Amino acid sequence: MKTIEISVAGRVQGVGFRACVKRIATNLGVVGEVMNLPDGRVRVIATADPGILDKFVSMLYSCPHVIIREIVQREIPLINFSEFSILRSG
């Protein structure tokens, strides 16, 4: 298991992206959280097996109405979430 932090830039707010991220995570068994950031990006923190996380990140591009310009990910210390949650911004 590992945890990654993902920053997604582009047209990713106000288009149902967080709900799509949660749906993908739930289907893959990924736990973590997603939230809008004040600068227009979306931050995702996700915990799962490394191979599942790779699939999760690649599936983010399939969300409808979203234009992803950049995804930056980095591994962070393991966080054990109980589920995948959509957090309110700010």
Side-chain angles (χ1 to χ4, degrees):
M1 297 289 271
K2 78 174 187 177
T3 301
I4 58 173
E5 179 182 45
I6 308 161
S7 173
V8 187
R11 193 179 76 193
V12 292
Q13 290 191 13
V15 291
F17 183 55
R18 290 179 302 162
C20 181
V21 171
K22 181 176 180 171
R23 193 167 45 254
I24 293 168
T26 302
N27 289 342
L28 292 176
V30 174
V31 293
E33 60 191 30
V34 60
M35 74 180 302
N36 287 340
L37 296 176
D39 65 4
R41 292 178 298 131
V42 169
R43 186 186 77 189
V44 183
I45 299 182
T47 301
D49 290 325
I52 297 291
L53 288 174
D54 290 341
K55 184 173 185 178
F56 171 70
V57 172
S58 69
M59 289 180 74
L60 297 179
Y61 289 94
S62 69
C63 290
H65 313 296
V66 172
I67 298 172
I68 294 176
R69 299 204 193 293
E70 181 182 47
I71 290 183
V72 177
Q73 69 179 40
R74 66 184 180 101
E75 188 169 351
I76 61 173
L78 184 67
I79 302 172
N80 290 309
F81 294 95
S82 59
E83 61 184 8
F84 198 92
S85 306
I86 296 175
L87 301 181
R88 289 232 177 258
S89 24

